[in-house]
Amino acid sequence: MIRSVAVVGAGAAGLVTARELLRAGFEVTVFEEAHAPGGVWIYTPNVETDPLGQVGERIHSSLYASLHTNLPRDIMAFDDYPFDSSGGGHDDWPRFPEHTRVLEYLERFTRDFDLEPHIQFRARVTALEPTASGWRMRIAQADGEALREFDAVAVCSGHFAAPRVPQLDGADAFPGTQMHSHNYREPSAFRDRRVALLGTSASGLDLSREIAGVAARTYWCGELFDELPDAHRHEGRLSRLPAIDALRSDGRLVLRDGSTTEPIDDLVYCTGYHYRYPFIDSTLLTIDDNWVQPLYRDLLHIEHPTLALVGVPFRVLPFPLFEMQARWFARLLGGHFRLPPASAMHDHTAREIEALRAKGVKQRHFHQRTIDCFDYLDALADEAGVARAPAWRRQTAAALLAVLEKSRGNARNTPIPHFAPTVVPDDSIAR
Ligand code: FAD
């Protein structure tokens, strides 16, 4: 019989998980190490002392000052809390709003669902271990350490705070500066310099464009998209190059095609993040080349099925995915459906991994899905016996993917077909 549930983290995942658990009638305590809800959306101009983010004190947020969402707010929002005036937004906000708007949305979510009384701020979970009947947690707070026991735990601690920096040959002797996008806030330090960026995902896309606005030359290196996205074409001092294989002591980069660049002053790694759960012992959870195990449906600990890790899949629609995972976990804890035996859950995961390996997917991408993550969401909904995501989500995702394909990764300046009930500005809708 589950009564008390702890939630680690009060970012988007922790907030919606707390709401779903409260709705299902559980006693919920959220532990949040920051002073406020919002997680990654709490912007700070501060950066870590190690620009690569490998050692020293850590800063949670990876936001840069100019960041706008990379999803239209209609499809980004939780299912029953639109990003307009009927939920946590405004009707006239841009369809890809500034990061401050997302924080506002999450703050309003916290207020509207009366979550704050359930959250302990400035409370860092430092250890989590199973007991005969549930879980024991060690929590560090200003007034000392506390031990608390719970029947179940949802870990919602995020995975965009521990920078992944590939080991490039020659990195130690490279004379230029090296930093990770986690510690990038604005471009002024790059004025009139020769800058290279490695990585073609969301942060590489945004930072290459912003830095190209001030740098003498900008080289954007990586594997995806041979050509520059439309939004970057006006930047004459920006070139698209293959991935970097090595760094040389004269400052030049050796590229995947064997060519070399001119000497570079600054290298910015836009190479993503590691999963990191420092409060969970490695005998309980292993992270091997960014693959977290043993999980059923990328969510539930197979051997300890009262422990869920919400938000593990990436390149998805994060908020709706967190919401469905949270609903699934709340229904599981409430006894509304039965799990398959552990051996069948292991087999289920093994089959998924086999299929990924057969497609040549690298292990560090095993938790990667796409914006079109509805088969996954529907499987959770069906298993838990709750409503599937509304049809307009699939329609919007398909339209968005088509625009992303055409614009080579930047949909922000292109009107997109609109299917959601959310109110968005007229000029952002493709007719
Ligand atoms: P987080 O927001 O990271 O929250 C985790 C919380 O857990 C934090 O508050 C942290 O302080 C707390 N915590 C961690 N460890 C502990 C501990 N031991 N004890 C107590 N508390 C702890 N998503 C979108 O939908 N649209 C976008 O446009 C978008 N843009 C993004 C841009 C950037 C640069 C980044 C990094 C991410 C972006 N994302 C975007 C993804 C974003 O991370 C998710 O949308 C979502 O906000 C993540 O929520 P989360 O709750 O999983 O993690």
Side-chain angles (χ1 to χ4, degrees):
M1 178 76 179
I2 306 285
R3 292 174 65 88
S4 61
V5 189
V7 175
V8 185
L15 293 171
V16 76
T17 300
R19 186 195 65 175
E20 292 301 317
L21 291 166
L22 286 164
R23 277 180 170 171
F26 296 106
E27 290 162 17
V28 176
T29 310
V30 183
F31 297 102
E32 168 53 61
E33 111 181 89
H35 62 287
V40 92
W41 296 100
I42 303 178
Y43 174 77
T44 169
N46 301 334
V47 292
E48 294 162 346
T49 44
D50 172 15
L52 289 171
Q54 304 300 299
V55 291
E57 202 186 334
R58 291 180 180 274
I59 288 182
H60 189 78
S61 185
S62 307
L63 295 191
Y64 26 98
S66 66
L67 186 126
H68 284 234
T69 66
N70 54 19
L71 291 172
R73 63 176 159 82
D74 35 317
I75 199 172
M76 179 170 159
F78 297 122
D79 258 359
D80 58 1
Y81 195 71
F83 221 132
D84 65 12
S85 58
S86 68
H90 281 279
D91 297 347
D92 58 358
W93 281 356
R95 202 146 169 211
F96 292 87
E98 306 88 318
H99 61 79
T100 50
R101 304 300 194 197
V102 183
L103 183 60
E104 214 175 312
Y105 170 89
L106 292 173
E107 288 168 347
R108 276 160 70 172
F109 185 88
T110 309
R111 269 201 307 279
D112 284 352
F113 294 101
D114 202 19
L115 300 178
E116 198 136 335
H118 304 276
I119 308 177
Q120 296 193 10
F121 292 109
R122 296 190 167 91
R124 182 159 54 90
V125 175
T126 55
L128 172 64
E129 55 189 40
T131 64
S133 60
W135 296 92
R136 184 177 307 118
M137 289 173 97
R138 192 178 293 275
I139 298 127
Q141 283 167 301
D143 53 359
E145 251 191 8
L147 281 180
R148 297 281 304 271
E149 304 229 336
F150 294 92
D151 299 328
V153 177
V155 171
C156 307
S157 51
H159 51 79
F160 291 105
R164 178 186 160 270
V165 177
Q167 297 296 316
L168 295 177
D169 280 350
D172 290 344
F174 181 68
T177 73
Q178 298 180 64
M179 69 178 288
H180 189 277
S181 60
H182 176 63
N183 285 314
Y184 174 89
R185 297 293 179 266
E186 50 82 31
S188 60
F190 300 105
R191 184 164 300 284
D192 301 329
R193 293 173 69 87
R194 292 160 302 182
V195 185
L197 299 98
L198 175 60
T200 40
S201 296
S203 49
L205 186 84
D206 282 355
L207 269 52
S208 59
R209 187 172 179 214
E210 187 161 275
I211 290 172
V214 301
R217 288 287 315 167
T218 306
Y219 298 100
W220 182 20
C221 309
E223 282 165 356
L224 292 181
F225 303 122
D226 293 337
E227 292 174 56
L228 285 176
D230 295 344
H232 290 60
R233 288 193 190 285
H234 70 284
E235 298 293 354
R237 292 167 301 177
L238 172 64
S239 317
R240 191 60 195 87
L241 297 178
I244 302 170
D245 264 352
L247 311 183
R248 284 193 0 194
S249 58
D250 60 2
R252 294 174 199 273
L253 312 177
V254 182
L255 304 176
R256 184 81 24 112
D257 65 358
S259 63
T260 50
T261 63
E262 66 170 324
I264 297 297
D265 300 315
D266 308 300
L267 173 58
V268 184
Y269 292 91
C270 304
T271 41
Y273 294 87
H274 291 295
Y275 291 96
R276 209 170 54 95
Y277 302 99
F279 49 91
I280 305 182
D281 195 86
S282 60
T283 53
L284 205 61
L285 198 71
T286 64
I287 304 172
D288 177 15
D289 193 16
N290 236 23
W291 179 32
V292 187
Q293 304 174 74
L295 297 183
Y296 174 58
R297 296 200 185 282
D298 278 1
L299 171 60
L300 190 77
H301 196 292
I302 296 179
E303 306 300 337
H304 296 277
T306 51
L307 174 65
L309 269 59
V310 177
V312 168
F314 64 99
R315 291 249 175 103
V316 291
L317 297 173
F319 290 20
L321 180 132
F322 303 156
E323 187 175 32
M324 188 62 87
Q325 290 187 323
R327 230 164 247 171
W328 184 94
F329 189 48
R331 297 275 296 175
L332 173 70
L333 297 182
H336 297 284
F337 69 95
R338 285 172 68 91
L339 288 170
S343 60
M345 291 194 279
H346 278 298
D347 288 349
H348 181 274
T349 299
R351 276 196 306 278
E352 281 186 344
I353 297 307
E354 217 171 281
L356 291 173
R357 284 198 206 280
K359 279 194 235 162
V361 175
K362 293 178 189 147
Q363 182 156 316
R364 67 184 159 87
H365 294 153
F366 280 176
H367 296 299
Q368 179 174 308
R369 294 178 184 262
T370 75
I371 288 174
D372 183 5
C373 53
F374 298 99
D375 289 348
Y376 173 73
L377 297 188
D378 287 354
L380 289 177
D382 294 351
E383 191 168 30
V386 299
R388 289 181 167 194
W392 61 258
R393 279 204 184 274
R394 271 191 194 262
Q395 290 171 295
T396 312
L400 176 62
L401 283 169
V403 171
L404 282 168
E405 177 72 23
K406 250 171 103 181
S407 62
R408 295 189 188 83
N410 186 356
R412 291 194 189 102
N413 307 321
T414 316
I416 299 168
H418 181 243
F419 304 99
T422 315
V423 183
V424 296
D426 270 355
D427 62 3
S428 71
I429 302 175
R431 307 261 175 213

